[in-house]
């Protein structure tokens, strides 16, 4: 029997998988929780940091794959608010890796039409990181093929609290009335303002949780979990996820009959 490329996690031909994707139903926005770098390294007796640096190739592959099939927004969870509590040496190494990656990848981002963007409390990043980010954001600002958003020092509760405070202040000071407060206003006050909600959320490494990522925005996202550790994630895995997404019926609370007779 032929292997099922969607449920079977063995390598399948990247081109063959890509050819099966329906270009008319590609998600506009894919979000990824890149997890498993530490375990990947530990499995081969290496330090956790080796896993992080090997994860850079996976970022590149995912970005290229997403661009090839016409995804407009790719949002990667790179560093959570909670990750600040990791050992200082790991946090420092992750920040250094961010800077060196931004520098080494900048040309490639421009060649591929990638516009870089960030969400999260980037003011809390070390100054070297902030300036490397700012520079990369400025130098890719005119690109319009895909928006790559890095979630850095990000947590969904952090941004929800920020949104609640900002709306609260505007209500108190009379800039808003209670009837102005609806889903649209909330969308506008989150850091993902202007982006469509992710239709597909991927998490690697076998963990099946959201870990404080985009809680408001993933309300109706399709979730795709894979045991593949992030440094092993390749283009074909992204294509598998999209194919699986395209097989699903997104009902948004309706019945299946309502969707097929509409
Ligand atoms: C994901 O890999 C990268 C970050 C969270 C920064 P981990 O570092 O969480 O790897 P595991 O989960 O310990 O294997
Ligand atoms: C989530 O991964 C954050 C990122 C991928 C940046 P973690 O490895 O920190 O998540 P938990 O702690 O296992 O939930
Ligand atoms: Mg982890």
């Amino acid at each position: 029997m032929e292997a099922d490329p969607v449920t079977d996690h063995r390598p399948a031909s990247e081109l063959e998988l890509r050819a099966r994707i329906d270009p008319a139903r590609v998600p506009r926005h894919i979000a990824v929780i890149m997890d498993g770098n530490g375990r990947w390294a530990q499995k081969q007796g290496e330090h956790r940091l080796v896993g992080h640096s090997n994860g850079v190739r996976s970022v590149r592959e995912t970005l290229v794959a997403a661009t090839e099939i016409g995804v407009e927004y790719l949002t990667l969870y790179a560093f959570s608010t909670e990750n600040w509590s990791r050992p200082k040496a790991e946090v420092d190494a992750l920040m250094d890796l961010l800077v060196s990656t931004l520098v080494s990848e900048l040309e490639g981002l421009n060649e591929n039409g990638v516009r870089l963007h960030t969400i999260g409390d980037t003011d809390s990043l070390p100054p070297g990181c902030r300036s490397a980010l700012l520079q990369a954001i400025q130098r890719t600002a005119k690109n319009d093929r895909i928006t790559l958003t890095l979630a850095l020092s990000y947590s969904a509760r952090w941004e929800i609290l920020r949104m609640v405070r900002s709306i609260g202040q505007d209500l108190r000071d009379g800039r808003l009335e209670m009837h102005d407060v609806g889903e649209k206003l909330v969308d506008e006050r989150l850091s993902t303002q202007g982006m469509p909600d992710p239709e597909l959320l991927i998490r690697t490494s076998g963990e099946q949780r959201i870990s404080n990522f985009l809680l408001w925005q993933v309300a109706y996202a399709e979730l795709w979990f894979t045991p593949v550790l992030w440094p092993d994630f390749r283009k074909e895995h992204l294509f598998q996820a999209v194919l699986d997404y395209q097989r699903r019926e997104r009902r948004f609370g309706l019945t299946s009959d309502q969707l097929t007779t509409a």
Side-chain angles (χ1 to χ4, degrees):
M1 208 180 92
E2 196 195 344
D4 180 347
V6 170
T7 53
D8 188 281
H9 291 277
R10 281 175 300 177
S13 150
E14 172 201 321
L15 289 177
E16 188 226 344
L17 290 172
R18 195 177 70 191
R20 291 197 201 175
I21 292 174
D22 175 357
R25 290 188 304 122
V26 168
R28 291 185 68 199
H29 185 174
I30 298 181
V32 186
I33 302 175
M34 312 183 286
D35 198 13
N37 295 353
R39 276 164 283 168
W40 185 90
Q42 277 157 355
K43 253 181 32 185
Q44 30 207 313
E46 297 283 358
H47 196 275
R48 296 176 54 85
L49 303 181
V50 177
H52 295 314
S53 41
N54 277 275
V56 174
R57 172 170 173 194
S58 309
V59 171
R60 204 182 296 126
E61 291 231 1
T62 305
L63 178 60
V64 171
T67 310
E68 278 176 9
I69 58 172
V71 172
E72 293 169 59
Y73 298 88
L74 177 68
T75 299
L76 304 179
Y77 203 5
F79 192 84
S80 70
T81 307
E82 290 77 16
N83 289 150
W84 287 115
S85 303
R86 290 192 178 191
K88 184 173 182 307
E90 180 166 345
V91 171
D92 289 348
L94 280 166
M95 295 299 147
D96 289 348
L97 182 65
L98 175 63
V99 175
S100 59
T101 306
L102 286 169
V103 171
S104 64
E105 300 295 316
L106 186 58
E107 206 177 300
L109 295 182
N110 277 324
E111 277 165 12
N112 290 296
V114 182
R115 187 170 69 104
L116 186 69
H117 180 64
T118 56
I119 55 173
D121 183 16
T122 46
D123 288 346
S124 63
L125 297 173
C129 275
R130 290 209 306 270
S131 60
L133 272 171
L134 200 66
Q135 213 171 52
I137 288 169
Q138 283 169 349
R139 293 208 188 154
T140 59
K142 292 204 174 71
N143 298 333
D144 58 5
R145 195 159 170 215
I146 187 169
T147 299
L148 169 66
T149 301
L150 297 181
L152 292 163
S153 190
Y154 173 88
S155 81
R157 287 187 175 183
W158 166 81
E159 77 166 353
I160 288 171
L161 270 174
R162 203 178 59 150
M163 170 272 294
V164 168
R165 289 195 185 119
S166 120
I167 292 179
Q169 266 170 5
D170 283 356
L171 286 171
R172 183 194 60 196
D173 300 342
R175 287 187 293 273
L176 284 176
E177 300 290 336
M178 200 55 89
H179 64 253
D180 296 321
V181 182
E183 287 196 16
K184 187 169 165 288
L185 184 74
V186 169
D187 279 335
E188 286 167 4
R189 301 275 172 124
L190 294 175
S191 51
T192 47
Q193 160 237 330
M195 296 185 202
D197 287 340
E199 296 97 327
L200 174 62
L201 172 68
I202 295 172
R203 182 169 189 150
T204 59
S205 89
E207 308 298 350
Q208 303 195 355
R209 54 177 171 265
I210 305 289
S211 299
N212 217 347
F213 193 39
L214 302 175
L215 292 179
W216 169 272
Q217 298 89 334
V218 298
Y220 258 109
E222 296 296 328
L223 310 181
W224 194 78
F225 299 107
T226 173
V228 171
L229 301 174
W230 180 249
D232 289 328
F233 196 85
R234 293 290 171 265
K235 286 165 99 174
E236 49 267 35
H237 298 116
L238 185 89
F239 297 149
Q240 281 179 351
V242 171
L243 279 168
D244 198 6
Y245 163 85
Q246 292 190 338
R247 283 182 172 187
R248 300 185 190 182
E249 184 178 63
R250 304 188 73 208
R251 288 191 285 277
F252 300 99
L254 305 185
T255 66
S256 193
D257 284 349
Q258 284 177 297
L259 292 171
T260 46
T261 55

